């Protein structure tokens, strides 16, 4: 291995460590607790080393969002592949999405609530964000209904899921009613 290859590998490892540590700290104490000073202390590197990877917290949030989007896409695809029939796939998608949001609140916030400097719904949208949307679209396009744009339907269904995830987490909706809410959403919106 060349010196250059070793340096690139070490840089990538430091970057993964920064993102993993930021994510862990955010999940434990919230994003307000994530500062470059605290990250530098936790990973035992100086703040200038952090800044050589990320220009600041915003870019770190963006990196967590990209990583989380990849994980969300994997979770949705795994859930929908495990069942058969359009209705069962839509219900599995909804449950997987809401479970991901509940298990990973800081990551969910990084993807959907915080400014990570990422473009959504543009040509320059990063691939992990596009793929997370595609994971939803793959299942939802089959139940959008005659004459309904599948992308628009997916956006609307996604907005409903986001509302359920956000309101449940905020204590505005009782979590024990998540199942009936998903059933209602699937029965009323999906044409199966």
């Amino acid at each position: 291995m060349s010196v250059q290859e070793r340096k690139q590998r070490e840089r990538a490892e430091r970057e993964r460590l920064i993102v993993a540590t930021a994510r862990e700290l955010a999940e434990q104490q919230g994003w307000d607790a994530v500062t470059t000073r605290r990250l530098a202390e936790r990973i035992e590197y100086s703040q200038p080393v952090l800044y050589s990877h990320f220009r600041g917290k915003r870019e770190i949030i963006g990196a967590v969002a990209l990583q989380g989007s990849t994980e969300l896409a994997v979770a949705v695809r795994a859930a929908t592949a495990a069942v058969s029939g359009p209705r069962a796939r839509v219900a599995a998608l909804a449950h997987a999405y809401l479970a991901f949001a509940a298990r990973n609140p800081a990551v969910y916030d990084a993807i959907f609530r915080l400014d990570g400097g990422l473009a959504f719904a543009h040509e320059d949208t990063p691939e992990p964000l596009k793929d997370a949307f595609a994971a939803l679209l793959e299942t939802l396009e089959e139940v959008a209904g005659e004459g309904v744009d599948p992308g628009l339907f997916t956006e609307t269904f996604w907005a409903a899921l986001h509302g359920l995830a956000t309101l449940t987490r905020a204590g505005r909706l009782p979590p024990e009613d998540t199942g009936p809410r998903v059933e209602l959403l699937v029965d009323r919106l999906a044409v199966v």
Side-chain angles (χ1 to χ4, degrees), residues 58-131:
R58 181 179 188 219
E59 283 189 4
I60 294 169
I61 290 170
V64 170
L66 293 175
Q67 187 181 73
S69 293
T70 299
E71 293 168 9
L72 176 60
V74 167
V76 166
R77 286 187 176 113
T80 58
V83 297
S84 61
R87 188 187 188 294
R89 280 191 293 278
V90 173
L93 176 151
H95 285 293
Y97 183 97
L98 295 171
F100 177 87
R103 272 192 324 272
N104 306 286
V107 173
Y108 190 83
D109 285 349
I111 301 169
F112 298 117
R113 290 189 55 242
L114 301 175
D115 179 9
L118 304 173
F120 282 81
H122 290 95
E123 286 183 26
D124 61 343
T125 297
E127 197 55 43
L129 299 179
K130 288 180 183 178
D131 190 50

Side-chain angles (χ1 to χ4, degrees), residues 16-17 63 109 112 115 147 182 185:
R16 279 191 294 277
L17 178 61
D109 285 349
F112 298 117
D115 179 9
V182 167
L185 184 61

Side-chain angles (χ1 to χ4, degrees), residues 34-87:
V34 179
T35 64
T36 54
R37 183 184 59 77
R38 288 184 84 185
L39 285 174
E41 288 172 2
R42 282 211 175 186
I43 64 171
E44 299 178 345
Y45 283 102
S46 67
Q47 282 183 312
V49 169
L50 254 87
Y51 286 117
S52 74
H53 291 274
F54 299 99
R55 284 182 279 181
K57 182 176 175 176
R58 181 179 188 219
E59 283 189 4
I60 294 169
I61 290 170
V64 170
L66 293 175
Q67 187 181 73
S69 293
T70 299
E71 293 168 9
L72 176 60
V74 167
V76 166
R77 286 187 176 113
T80 58
V83 297
S84 61
R87 188 187 188 294

Side-chain angles (χ1 to χ4, degrees), residues 7 13 39 44 60 81 86 91 122 126 140 149 151 173 177 181 189:
K7 285 183 179 184
E13 287 173 11
L39 285 174
E44 299 178 345
I60 294 169
H122 290 95
L140 295 172
D149 176 82
L173 297 175
D177 291 333
R181 282 190 201 94
L189 285 183

